[in-house]
Amino acid sequence: MVIFSTSITYGADPLPSWNDGKAKEAIIDFVTRVSTAGSDDFVPVAERIATFDNDGTLWAEQPMYFQAFFVFDRIKALAPQHPEWQTKEPFASVLQGDMKKALAGGEHDLLEMVMATHAGMTTEEFEQLVKDWLTTARHPVSKQPLTGMVYQPMLELLSYLREEGFKTFIVSGGGIEFMRPWTEKVYGIPPEQVIGSSIKTKFEFLDDKPALVRLPEINFIDDKAGKPVGIHQHIGRRPIAAFGNSDGDLQMLQWTAAGKGPNFCLYVHHTDAEREWAYDRKSHIGRLDKGLDEARARGWTVVNMKNDWNVVFPK
């Protein structure tokens, strides 16, 4: 797994990978106001909660969510135990290398594949599978380790916020137990500050030892309207800052903006086809349509990746 420093000393500039402009100014202005004692907008440290989407906000998400790569690799690894998958969709398409067809059924087919590949084992076994997979998994386009596809400007932002007394959380539609094994090393966000979708688990004894076994049943979907619910259940405080990149994050930003006192909402707009990808309203992954309109109407900060970031990925 490729690991990047999450406690960097920046000197006078806390966000060196951000170009000077409105987005950078808005971030620094907000953080300064809420963290300066005596300021009219001062917020006590305990209330400085910042929530971040993961896919497309902290690391890349094209040409498909990285957890889907994990699902597909698990299907291939488990295929010898399931000869019926050779003719059963969507598994057959995965084994034939037709990923577009495998995902044609949308959320229903993806959930079926997740249930088939993520359940039937203990939580410790699943955690080790994720860790082992990330040591060899490579992005199909860049050929870089997936943990090398994180955004350097966002790593700096996470560090800057924490230096100013913020507690940073991931709030993602991705699997909570898929993210927890690596987020602390990559982002500096410990597992207890990760909120995500989950499947049910059951306590039982295996070989006379207590264990948590993962079941093929959905427990919670942490996406769209589920994000404020997940925040309430896991954190118990409304964030004062929220960061996303798609319509799936809109309700989280709306919930944050509706709080009393100062708040800050930011969308990462993928506009850089050369260094990353350019997509928004019509994308099959990370669609930003309603959120883009609402951000402009409400005056939320919209990061133009091409113009606002002088670096995208760590070097």
Side-chain angles (χ1 to χ4, degrees):
M1 186 186 298
V2 177
I3 305 300
F4 302 97
S5 173
T6 55
S7 57
I8 307 169
T9 301
Y10 301 116
D13 188 353
L15 303 172
S17 294
W18 295 68
N19 291 322
D20 291 337
K22 291 183 179 179
K24 182 175 181 177
E25 290 172 2
I27 294 169
I28 294 175
D29 174 70
F30 173 76
V31 174
T32 300
R33 285 189 289 110
V34 300
S35 62
T36 300
S39 165
D40 290 341
D41 290 329
F42 178 76
V43 175
V45 170
E47 298 174 19
R48 293 180 207 166
I49 302 297
T51 56
F52 289 77
D53 169 58
N54 184 47
D55 298 303
T57 300
L58 295 180
W59 72 353
E61 62 183 357
Q62 296 288 352
M64 62 183 178
Y65 299 123
F66 292 177
Q67 189 170 357
F69 292 130
F70 176 69
V71 170
F72 292 162
D73 285 348
R74 289 292 299 150
I75 288 174
K76 295 171 185 176
L78 294 170
Q81 304 171 34
H82 297 273
E84 73 278 7
W85 286 357
Q86 297 296 328
T87 55
K88 181 183 179 182
E89 294 292 357
F91 304 95
S93 292
V94 173
L95 298 176
Q96 294 163 11
D98 191 342
M99 304 311 174
K100 184 176 182 180
K101 185 177 179 182
L103 294 172
E107 184 177 281
H108 176 272
D109 283 358
L110 183 58
L111 287 175
E112 183 179 3
M113 290 186 283
V114 167
M115 293 300 100
T117 58
H118 287 38
M121 67 192 81
T122 67
T123 52
E124 287 85 358
E125 289 169 338
F126 183 77
E127 178 180 348
Q128 193 60 50
L129 279 174
V130 173
K131 288 180 177 179
D132 291 345
W133 179 76
L134 279 174
T135 63
T136 60
R138 295 293 183 270
H139 191 273
V141 178
S142 71
K143 308 304 179 185
Q144 295 296 312
L146 296 183
T147 48
M149 300 294 289
V150 298
Y151 301 134
Q152 179 63 27
M154 299 305 283
L155 293 179
E156 294 170 1
L157 177 56
L158 287 168
S159 183
Y160 174 44
L161 289 172
R162 288 192 289 264
E163 288 174 359
E164 297 301 328
F166 279 78
K167 202 169 191 177
T168 54
F169 290 80
I170 288 176
V171 182
S172 172
I176 189 169
E177 291 186 72
F178 174 77
M179 295 182 288
R180 280 178 167 173
W182 53 270
T183 58
E184 187 162 26
K185 291 182 178 179
V186 175
Y187 301 137
I189 298 178
E192 65 270 20
Q193 290 168 216
V194 176
I195 303 169
S197 299
S198 59
I199 64 176
K200 292 182 179 180
T201 56
K202 178 184 178 182
F203 176 86
E204 59 182 72
F205 280 85
L206 297 177
D207 297 325
D208 294 325
K209 295 181 180 179
L212 289 175
V213 178
R214 294 167 58 82
L215 305 176
E217 299 177 50
I218 292 293
N219 178 57
F220 181 70
I221 300 296
D222 189 56
D223 195 28
K224 300 183 176 74
K227 290 198 172 190
V229 174
I231 290 169
H232 175 72
Q233 291 178 339
H234 286 261
I235 303 175
R237 292 183 185 272
R238 192 190 303 250
I240 66 167
F243 305 83
N245 79 292
S246 75
D247 285 355
D249 306 313
L250 178 57
Q251 290 87 346
M252 177 174 72
L253 272 65
Q254 290 171 328
W255 175 245
T256 299
K260 297 180 180 178
N263 57 73
F264 185 82
C265 294
L266 180 148
Y267 263 124
V268 175
H269 189 190
H270 294 264
T271 58
D272 199 326
E274 292 186 9
R275 296 183 299 175
E276 207 238 9
W277 289 270
Y279 60 98
D280 46 39
R281 296 186 187 274
K282 297 183 179 180
S283 178
H284 69 293
I285 294 290
R287 178 176 297 170
L288 179 58
D289 183 23
K290 294 179 181 178
L292 192 59
D293 292 337
E294 185 147 354
R296 289 169 175 166
R298 288 174 170 261
W300 296 343
T301 297
V302 177
V303 171
N304 183 316
M305 184 182 287
K306 184 176 181 179
N307 297 333
D308 289 327
W309 290 356
N310 61 65
V311 172
V312 175
F313 300 113
K315 296 180 178 179

